[in-house]
Amino acid sequence: MSEQNNNHENIDQNVSHDNVSHDNVEHDDSILKETLEEFNPQQNSGEESTIENDIDLDTFKARIAELEGEVKQAKEGTARANAEAYNAQKRMEQEADKSKKFALQKFAKELLEVVDNLERAIENAQADDAVIEGVRLTHKALLDVLNKNGVEVVEPQGEKFNADLHEAVGIDPEAEADTVGTVLQKGYSLNGRLLRPAMVRVGQ
């Protein structure tokens, strides 16, 4: 008899526990349903505030504007840095090119003395001098080599006198005023830069 009573009590406890669990499920479902209805735009007309809104939109807008300004400054700084790097590279290339062009300046200037001597030999040679033809060929070959390396003749006879290119060493009475008459020594330039001015006589 005692064993039957114990079984009966256990059954009652299980039933009671099942009822409590069932009540909890129904209670949870009720809370979920109420929450969904509260946040449902169709159920909530907006007359009652569901969430208290303490967000200051002006503060967010100011912060966004501040961040946009920082991004803009960063982009401008990057652009300036790229421009400076580009300019520095171009300057280096120009300096390297200039150094390359004028590296032979001293050497070429010394060779001009050889050219002058060959020209004087040609001018003073006798007509029957058998060696003069070789001198002319040597003179021409030397000028060709100089020309290939950027050396060009400045022959200003008949042109207006230019103090940047010509060196006046006398007056030519037969030449027009401020005009180059007699060229005593040819001038030369190296890649557009004056290597040696022409020595001339100028009309007065």
Side-chain angles (χ1 to χ4, degrees):
M1 182 70 176
S2 175
E3 183 178 352
Q4 289 179 354
N5 289 334
N6 290 334
N7 291 337
H8 182 70
E9 289 177 358
N10 290 334
I11 293 171
D12 289 342
Q13 289 177 358
N14 291 335
V15 171
S16 176
H17 181 269
D18 290 342
N19 288 336
V20 170
S21 299
H22 182 70
D23 290 342
N24 288 337
V25 171
E26 289 182 350
H27 181 66
D28 291 341
D29 289 344
S30 176
I31 292 175
L32 177 61
K33 182 177 179 181
E34 291 176 0
T35 303
L36 291 174
E37 288 178 353
E38 182 179 359
F39 286 94
N40 188 346
Q42 295 180 352
Q43 298 291 335
N44 187 358
S45 62
E47 296 177 357
E48 297 181 358
S49 176
T50 58
I51 299 177
E52 193 67 27
N53 187 0
D54 294 332
I55 298 174
D56 187 355
L57 293 179
D58 291 337
T59 301
F60 275 91
K61 290 179 181 178
R63 180 55 178 161
I64 291 172
E66 181 181 352
L67 292 174
E68 288 177 345
E70 292 178 358
V71 171
K72 183 179 179 182
Q73 290 180 356
K75 288 182 177 179
E76 291 176 350
T78 301
R80 284 194 299 269
N82 290 337
E84 290 175 359
Y86 177 80
N87 292 333
Q89 180 182 356
K90 288 299 179 184
R91 283 194 297 270
M92 291 177 62
E93 291 176 355
Q94 290 174 357
E95 290 298 325
D97 187 54
K98 186 183 294 184
S99 298
K100 181 180 178 181
K101 282 184 177 180
F102 302 111
L104 297 176
Q105 181 170 345
K106 182 178 179 181
F107 178 66
K109 195 169 184 179
E110 292 178 353
L111 282 180
L112 295 182
E113 296 181 6
V114 179
V115 174
D116 294 338
N117 290 332
L118 291 174
E119 289 178 349
R120 280 192 286 267
I122 293 171
E123 291 174 0
N124 297 321
Q126 300 295 325
D128 57 351
D129 192 341
V131 181
I132 197 61
E133 186 61 28
V135 175
R136 287 195 179 96
L137 292 175
T138 303
H139 175 258
K140 182 179 182 303
L142 183 56
L143 287 179
D144 289 342
V145 171
L146 289 171
N147 187 257
K148 287 179 182 179
N149 287 276
V151 178
E152 297 181 352
V153 179
V154 177
E155 180 108 39
Q157 189 169 14
E159 297 180 359
K160 285 292 183 181
F161 176 76
N162 185 344
D164 294 331
L165 300 175
H166 315 142
E167 181 181 353
V169 294
I171 301 297
D172 189 337
E174 297 183 1
E176 296 181 3
D178 294 328
T179 302
V180 175
T182 306
V183 178
L184 301 177
Q185 187 182 66
K186 295 177 183 177
Y188 291 88
S189 64
L190 175 61
N191 293 313
R193 177 189 290 183
L194 186 65
L195 186 61
R196 187 182 76 181
M199 295 176 60
V200 299
R201 290 186 180 137
V202 185
Q204 191 172 19

